[in-house]
Amino acid sequence: MNKVPIGLKRAATLCILRNKDKFLLLKRLKEPNKDNFTPVGGKLDPFESPLKSAIRETFEETGIKVDTMKYCGILTETSPTEYNWTGYVYIADIDIVEPPNCNEGTLMWIGFEDLLKVPTPKTDWYIYKYILDNKPFAFSAEYDGKLNLLSMTEEIENKVII
């Protein structure tokens, strides 16, 4: 298998599962974002559209079948390491279910008001906020070599976030 050259963006989906102001999030077992609460998701397969990837990843990681998801925006992450991603963000409104078992970590329902009380990537908190405000976004995040977030802009509004 060909290895992606360091610095080249890899494509992934972030699959946000929501019930009103609660999110079904994954406490990750491995890097990136180990021990942080994140949406489920993952890399696009060859020849796969972002939407099909989001639906597939949601099912693979949660067992929850969704027929469609709403596109919300994009998160582009840039660093001088191999951590360089273009993340397509989708959302599905689902019923509250008992968090299923997941081989990627532990799934838990977390209310928006509690997101700042649990470890979550800074970028994700802004994603949730824009989603709750029903605003599209195109976030661009820049990191240093140790993956500390240096800056983040929202490019539709040309607004510096961090």
Side-chain angles (χ1 to χ4, degrees):
M1 180 150 109
N2 292 337
K3 186 166 169 56
V4 175
I6 291 179
L8 190 65
K9 298 280 186 271
R10 293 181 284 173
T13 54
L14 287 83
C15 312
I16 297 175
L17 303 174
R18 172 180 69 177
N19 183 285
K20 298 185 175 81
D21 68 343
K22 290 185 173 33
F23 299 93
L24 185 59
L25 299 178
L26 176 66
K27 184 175 183 186
R28 292 184 55 84
L29 285 174
K30 58 186 180 179
E31 295 295 348
N33 297 312
K34 184 178 190 290
D35 295 325
N36 278 262
F37 287 86
T38 67
V40 296
K43 296 182 223 45
L44 273 70
D45 284 343
F47 312 107
E48 183 177 45
S49 73
L51 175 59
K52 286 183 179 174
S53 172
I55 291 168
R56 175 185 54 78
E57 287 286 349
T58 295
F59 183 72
E60 285 179 4
E61 293 188 15
T62 69
I64 296 170
K65 176 100 174 87
V66 294
D67 294 323
T68 190
M69 299 182 88
K70 178 185 172 194
Y71 176 75
C72 299
I74 195 163
L75 169 64
T76 303
E77 297 177 291
T78 303
S79 83
T81 71
E82 61 186 36
Y83 189 80
N84 286 274
W85 291 95
T86 299
Y88 299 90
V89 182
Y90 288 87
I91 190 165
D93 288 305
I94 64 170
D95 293 331
I96 295 276
V97 295
E98 184 68 30
N101 289 329
C102 176
N103 63 358
E104 301 279 332
T106 304
L107 290 161
M108 294 175 59
W109 285 102
I110 299 184
F112 179 74
E113 69 281 357
D114 294 324
L115 284 175
L116 292 179
K117 300 174 190 164
V118 298
T120 189
K122 277 186 190 177
T123 52
D124 292 9
W125 188 85
Y126 290 99
I127 289 170
Y128 306 134
K129 177 152 181 36
Y130 271 68
I131 286 172
L132 287 174
D133 291 343
N134 205 29
K135 290 169 58 174
F137 55 85
F139 290 122
S140 181
E142 303 248 349
Y143 298 88
D144 67 14
K146 294 183 179 176
L147 299 183
N148 297 305
L149 183 61
L150 299 174
S151 67
M152 183 169 158
T153 58
E154 197 295 306
E155 295 181 354
I156 295 172
E157 299 175 328
N158 195 24
K159 179 179 174 183
V160 174
I161 304 289
I162 296 172

